[in-house]
Amino acid sequence: MNIRAILPLLLFFGLAAPIGALVPSAVAQDKGTLHPKPLPPLANPDDPALAAKQLFGRKTLPAAGAPYVIGFYARGCIAGAEALPVTGPTWQVMRLSRNRNWAHPAMVALLERVSAKARRDAGWPGLLIGDMAQPRGGPMLTGHASHQIGLDADVWLTPMPNRLLSRNEREEMSAVMMVRRDRLDIDPRAWTPSHLGVIRAAAREPSVERIFVNAAIKKALCREAKGDRSWLSKVRPMYGHDYHFHIRIKCPPGSPQCESQPPPGPAEGCGAQDLAYWFSDAVLHPKPPKTPPKPKPPITLSQLPTACRQVLAAPDARQ
């Protein structure tokens, strides 16, 4: 089926998500809790029909061993994941109750590096980091279809306050909406030149494969970028990115079972024809389908790469 033909329906039902996956995205407005409760044991964890998210969502620590990425962004897992410290000199992690500040060490290093560049080059106080991956990656109990292999990370478009956020603030604070109410452009009351500098700092990193933003944000970047604009080719419009941008990096060395996307072409993607679809009436004002689509069955363990079974069975890494 043509993906563009069904995206308006997916948008109406809150199902649009990054390439390779069509499930709801966990947004910055979804609040956390100060008192997360451990999930109850599964009655039959070996049931072949059991959703893989039930297995990976119960792992609170990474698998022991060297960092190793398995599969695609929306269908895979990771061994030897590293946690981004929840507080750093130029970043703070949000929604700690989700336990999703895990990733491949290359992503952890990139976020630390980009946060420092954002402060130095864009005058940004620091980054507020949203969801990265679960300790062993894999499908999540809520939210993203991607973020499964430790190579994706969400960064809020709200600057970090110049103070240490409390645990309650990290669970309850909402990100700032960047898109105008009519969805045709950014909100000038929220958008600043520094936003361009932060996204540009990330896009210029050689390991970055894609950056997903709302189409109105892409439009603003195209309008405002000066000088070298080659980094714009990595920035792609995508649903569900009104409050944050999504960084995706390439497969790292030493993970031959990792599957990257094709590299982006050299075009900026700023032409009227490049953005027309995203600002069409069918996308901005989708009509409800006459017959609601059936929910897509969740991914089972058998549908993930075989090596993900070993990742689940591996002992916890020492912390």
Side-chain angles (χ1 to χ4, degrees), residues 281-299:
D281 190 65
V283 172
L284 295 180
H285 307 102
K287 295 180 180 179
K290 294 180 180 179
T291 303
K294 294 180 180 179
K296 189 175 180 180
I299 296 173

Side-chain angles (χ1 to χ4, degrees):
M1 182 181 289
N2 187 310
I3 187 65
R4 291 199 170 191
I6 64 170
L7 274 174
L9 306 185
L10 296 167
L11 179 61
F12 180 80
F13 282 91
L15 298 177
I19 294 171
L22 300 173
V23 300
S25 175
V27 297
Q29 281 54 50
D30 293 342
K31 293 181 170 50
T33 175
L34 288 174
H35 307 289
K37 296 180 180 179
L39 295 170
L42 293 168
N44 185 6
D46 297 322
D47 181 356
L50 182 68
K53 63 184 180 182
Q54 297 293 343
L55 299 167
F56 283 94
R58 282 169 166 76
K59 294 296 184 181
T60 59
L61 290 171
Y68 192 78
V69 176
I70 301 159
F72 188 65
Y73 303 94
R75 196 170 292 250
C77 59
I78 178 173
E82 180 180 322
L84 175 70
V86 298
T87 301
T90 50
W91 74 87
Q92 295 186 53
V93 175
M94 307 300 285
R95 304 298 189 261
L96 301 180
S97 60
R98 294 181 184 172
N99 193 28
R100 295 178 180 176
N101 59 312
W102 300 88
H104 188 278
M107 173 59 85
V108 172
L110 180 135
L111 291 172
E112 294 177 351
R113 192 164 59 246
V114 168
S115 68
K117 288 182 178 179
R119 174 176 287 186
R120 184 185 68 237
D121 301 340
W124 201 256
L127 300 183
L128 295 179
I129 307 298
D131 286 354
M132 296 165 62
Q134 298 176 135
R136 303 191 189 202
M140 293 183 176
L141 285 168
T142 60
H144 318 275
S146 61
H147 291 253
Q148 291 193 27
I149 57 175
L151 304 182
D152 294 285
D154 289 342
V155 178
W156 287 24
L157 285 163
T158 305
M160 184 183 82
N162 192 21
R163 60 182 175 80
L164 181 65
L165 292 173
S166 69
R167 172 65 190 275
N168 186 64
E169 287 176 308
R170 296 190 195 210
E171 301 292 352
E172 295 286 332
M173 178 179 167
S174 293
V176 176
M177 174 66 153
M178 291 289 123
V179 180
R180 207 167 66 192
R181 184 168 293 184
D182 64 7
R183 314 288 296 168
L184 295 174
D185 212 324
I186 48 88
D187 185 343
R189 298 169 299 176
W191 181 262
T192 69
S194 293
H195 284 90
L196 182 148
V198 173
I199 296 173
R200 180 176 58 199
R204 281 179 168 170
E205 286 284 332
S207 64
V208 169
E209 187 170 71
R210 298 282 193 284
I211 289 181
F212 298 114
V213 297
N214 179 278
I217 295 174
K218 171 73 175 185
K219 181 180 179 179
L221 296 173
C222 290
R223 181 173 61 233
E224 298 173 11
K226 308 296 182 185
D228 176 17
R229 293 166 55 93
S230 60
W231 56 274
L232 285 167
S233 65
K234 295 182 180 180
V235 182
R236 301 298 179 92
M238 187 53 63
Y239 298 104
H241 293 77
D242 303 356
Y243 301 81
H244 73 277
F245 67 98
H246 176 146
I247 301 174
R248 172 169 292 174
I249 65 174
K250 302 172 185 176
C251 286
S255 291
Q257 293 190 62
C258 178
E259 303 172 31
S260 279
Q261 287 181 250
E268 293 179 358
C270 291
Q273 70 280 7
D274 298 313
L275 297 173
Y277 165 75
W278 297 96
F279 296 110
S280 65
D281 190 65
V283 172
L284 295 180
H285 307 102
K287 295 180 180 179
K290 294 180 180 179
T291 303
K294 294 180 180 179
K296 189 175 180 180
I299 296 173
T300 62
L301 187 56
S302 65
Q303 293 172 312
L304 294 175
T306 303
C308 288
R309 291 181 179 273
Q310 284 72 54
V311 170
L312 274 175
D316 293 340
R318 294 182 179 179
Q319 298 300 300

